[in-house]
Amino acid sequence: MTHSFSEFSTNALLKVGDESLLAPYKSSKRLDIYVFIRTSITKAEVVVDSVPISIPTNSILALTAVQYFQFLKGENLKVYFFNREFYCIKDHDQEVGCAGLLFFGNVQNPIIYLDDKEQSKFNVLHEVFVDELETKDTIQAEMLRMLMARFIIKSTRLLKAKEELSDTTKNSKTELLRAFNVLVEEHFRTEHSVQFYANALFKSPKTLSNSFAKLNTSPLKIIHERIVLEAKRLLIYTEKTLKEIAYEVGFEDASHLSRLFKKYTAVTPSDFKKQHKLAS
């Protein structure tokens, strides 16, 4: 059963239900909405940005509105849909601290495992969600946004714990990485230099590089991987030419994108597109 909330004045939308919410995604298409998928006693199989993902039992998968998604199978799921107008991740980041980690992070498809204690907590939260969705009054919207904030905060805490980010030194570096990821998501189509992002964060490129090295990545790698991810999406899900794709991600010369793409995927963009045409 699906429970829905909509707000005419803002176009806000929230839907809470089961796997039936995912039925429109039997074939791959862009989500255009934020999604949490929570499994229980059985795992679920999905494809995100052409990558097959098995969501383990008792886990949560977080998905962003810009991703392409296909639902293959899954039962007894709890699914949450919400749009930017209902709860803007970036506007509320000071409250929930999830942008650049749970959403728009360098890990594109974070999966959060729930132990018995956490399963119980999320079950209670789900029941409160349903109860509030059935309560029509003047503060319903505010209550639902508070519940979504709680859901996001709990998920983010568990993700941070999974990444073993509890010590202060590493956690400060992760906060820097999180801020960097958010900036890259916003500017990767036009800004490809580490210097731009360093300036925006009031850091030197060397400081960013040294900090991220301890997290097994680099600022330039994050920028490049985001560009390549977008190129993959456009190659698979659109009929745009390589020249058009290159222009969309900030390259005047398609050959520059082609070299970068091959560096990170070991194949040319045209070969990548052919491989996915044959597989589909």
Side-chain angles (χ1 to χ4, degrees):
M1 183 177 179
T2 297
H3 295 80
S4 299
F5 164 82
S6 59
E7 195 173 50
F8 179 75
S9 60
T10 64
N11 291 321
L13 176 68
L14 169 70
K15 291 185 178 182
V16 176
D18 57 18
E19 56 273 12
S20 63
L21 272 174
L22 303 175
Y25 298 92
K26 285 296 184 181
S27 59
S28 189
K29 62 181 178 179
R30 184 175 157 126
L31 280 168
D32 290 322
I33 199 161
Y34 291 94
V35 181
F36 286 110
I37 301 173
R38 183 184 160 202
T39 59
S40 54
I41 58 174
T42 58
K43 64 181 182 178
E45 304 291 340
V46 300
V47 179
V48 182
D49 289 329
S50 80
V51 178
I53 295 175
S54 179
I55 313 172
T57 58
N58 302 314
S59 298
I60 297 172
L61 173 69
L63 299 166
T64 69
V66 298
Q67 292 180 302
Y68 284 79
F69 175 78
Q70 181 181 10
F71 176 58
L72 300 180
K73 65 178 182 178
E75 297 177 348
N76 303 308
L77 305 180
K78 290 182 173 65
V79 181
Y80 304 79
F81 280 11
F82 65 97
N83 63 4
R84 183 182 181 279
E85 290 75 18
F86 174 76
Y87 198 91
C88 180
I89 297 301
K90 291 179 181 177
D91 288 353
H92 290 88
D93 187 54
Q94 195 168 5
E95 299 170 16
V96 297
C98 66
L101 187 64
L102 192 63
F103 299 105
F104 307 118
N106 58 312
V107 176
Q108 291 298 318
N109 304 302
I111 295 177
I112 302 146
Y113 174 73
L114 306 178
D115 61 20
D116 290 345
K117 184 178 179 181
E118 294 300 334
Q119 289 171 48
S120 178
K121 290 179 181 178
F122 274 91
N123 284 339
V124 171
L125 184 55
H126 183 80
E127 291 305 314
V128 178
F129 254 122
V130 171
D131 180 64
E132 196 58 45
L133 282 161
E134 292 175 344
T135 304
K136 309 293 183 182
D137 59 23
T138 57
I139 62 169
Q140 184 191 32
E142 184 179 352
M143 287 294 293
L144 288 170
R145 288 186 174 96
M146 287 172 59
L147 290 171
M148 180 53 69
R150 182 167 177 77
F151 190 105
I152 292 170
I153 290 168
K154 287 175 65 62
S155 300
T156 303
R157 283 176 177 167
L158 291 171
L159 184 60
K160 285 183 177 180
K162 173 188 172 185
E163 299 297 328
E164 300 179 340
L165 305 174
S166 55
D167 66 277
T168 305
T169 302
K170 197 168 184 180
N171 198 47
S172 65
K173 289 179 172 52
T174 303
E175 285 302 304
L176 181 60
L177 175 62
R178 199 170 72 79
F180 185 83
N181 284 335
V182 172
L183 282 172
V184 169
E185 184 64 31
E186 187 174 353
H187 297 289
F188 75 90
R189 290 180 177 84
T190 56
E191 302 294 343
H192 299 170
S193 73
V194 175
Q195 185 70 59
F196 170 84
Y197 298 98
N199 290 344
L201 293 167
F202 304 101
K203 304 287 183 183
S204 71
K206 186 175 181 180
T207 298
L208 290 183
S209 295
N210 290 341
S211 296
F212 294 176
K214 292 173 182 175
L215 297 171
N216 300 313
T217 189
S218 76
L220 191 60
K221 182 181 179 185
I222 292 169
I223 297 165
H224 286 172
E225 286 181 339
R226 184 62 185 91
I227 293 167
V228 170
L229 173 62
E230 194 66 20
K232 284 180 176 179
R233 287 174 179 162
L234 295 170
L235 285 164
I236 296 169
Y237 300 111
T238 76
E239 294 303 319
K240 292 184 178 181
T241 66
L242 182 59
K243 185 176 180 180
E244 290 171 326
I245 292 170
Y247 181 78
E248 191 159 328
V249 295
F251 289 91
E252 292 185 7
D253 191 335
S255 65
H256 293 164
L257 174 61
S258 187
R259 285 195 293 272
L260 180 69
F261 192 94
K262 188 170 182 180
K263 177 182 176 181
Y264 282 87
T265 66
V267 295
T268 65
S270 57
D271 285 342
F272 177 83
K273 189 175 182 76
K274 286 175 188 173
Q275 288 172 7
H276 282 270
K277 289 268 188 195
L278 290 172
S280 60

